[in-house]
Amino acid sequence: MKETDTNKTMRLADKVALITGGAQGIGAAIATRMAEEGARVAIADLQTGGELERDLTSRGYEAITVPLDVASEQSVNEAFAEVERRLGPVDTLVNNAGTGTPVALIVDTNPDEWDRTMRINLTGAFMCTKRALQSMIPRNTGTILNISSNVGKRGVPLRSAYSSSKWAMCGLTQTAALEVAKHGIRVNALLPGNVDTPHLAEVVKLHADAEGKTFEAYTEMLKSLSPMDRYVDLDEIAKVAVFLTCDDSSAMTGQLINVTGGWIMH
Ligand SMILES: NC(=O)c1ccc[n+]([C@@H]2O[C@H](COP(=O)([O-])OP(=O)(O)OC[C@H]3O[C@@H](n4cnc5c(N)ncnc54)[C@H](O)[C@@H]3O)[C@@H](O)[C@H]2O)c1
């Protein structure tokens, strides 16, 4: 915990938080906010350059970088073992790692690409949840947050694998919440709207190309889907992620929380 922050209420003080896909985008924003709230963060990602770790530690926060491929059970087990060895057991898991591709009609979608999306977005979250619960259940404590999507509550043309994986994450969230409530463990999902990240830029380009629009026109159309007529900021996602993983949300579990600028209202 940063020395100058000792007078501030730290909502995740000394908690060990593992954020999958934490090296960039939404995961990096969540890791940063959690560190600022006193968590000792493990940035677990395919990308292991350590840029965010250096930024956080230079500001006095505790952060480590851990190699992780959520699609591999062996990698999941090794990453958790490394975090436990260096920081202690995981108190908060954020299942954030994800891929947005393929962008294709169902009739053109290759089953191998479908499987890859499911493996990363859904099976990866399942394997990390399973491994986290193995140490949370004996301790009767913990919080898990699944980063689903606005397409976890609606369909969207050209994104069958992605949308299906994000709906399934919501089912995983509610099933896990029911299984572990008696152990004092809470499991919720956060469903972001459109957030300006490398992931979004990639899928906007693919959608624009597939639909014969320019990148700029497709971006404006996406923004107009929210009554706020804008994207959601990274920190607006991260603040809700902290809320859902700290005691401020102590009576909430199995919830699917939209952070979409009002786009999704159910
Ligand atoms: N950006 C948006 O508009 C948006 C909207 C809704 C939901 N989401 C979801 O939020 C999450 C984060 O999205 P983002 O926009 O920050 O994406 P991003 O592509 O910018 O970052 C994703 C991170 O996950 C990592 N990653 C990818 N595959 C991995 C794997 N197999 N194992 C470990 N790490 C892996 C990447 O290296 C990267 O650091 C995703 O699950 C995405 O589906 C994003």
Side-chain angles (χ1 to χ4, degrees), residues 33 41 68 83-84 100 111 130 136 162 201 210 227 234-235 245:
R33 250 301 156 176
V41 300
L68 170 66
V83 174
E84 286 166 355
K130 177 180 174 181
M136 289 177 178
Y162 183 68
L234 284 167
D235 201 43
T245 51

Side-chain angles (χ1 to χ4, degrees), residues 152-225:
K153 285 188 180 175
R154 66 187 183 98
V156 59
L158 303 169
R159 304 290 291 288
S160 58
Y162 183 68
S163 176
S164 301
S165 72
K166 294 298 186 179
W167 276 79
M169 274 186 108
C170 295
L172 175 67
T173 301
Q174 296 193 331
T175 301
L178 290 168
E179 287 186 2
V180 298
K182 60 179 175 290
H183 297 292
I185 302 163
R186 298 186 297 110
V187 187
N188 289 294
L190 189 163
L191 285 62
N194 291 310
V195 187
D196 195 4
T197 66
H199 161 103
L200 186 67
E202 182 188 10
V203 296
V204 165
K205 182 170 184 331
L206 290 168
H207 269 285
D209 289 350
E211 296 175 31
K213 295 182 176 150
T214 64
F215 185 91
E216 291 71 24
Y218 198 83
T219 299
E220 287 313 306
M221 185 281 294
L222 276 186
K223 288 182 180 173
S224 73
L225 293 171

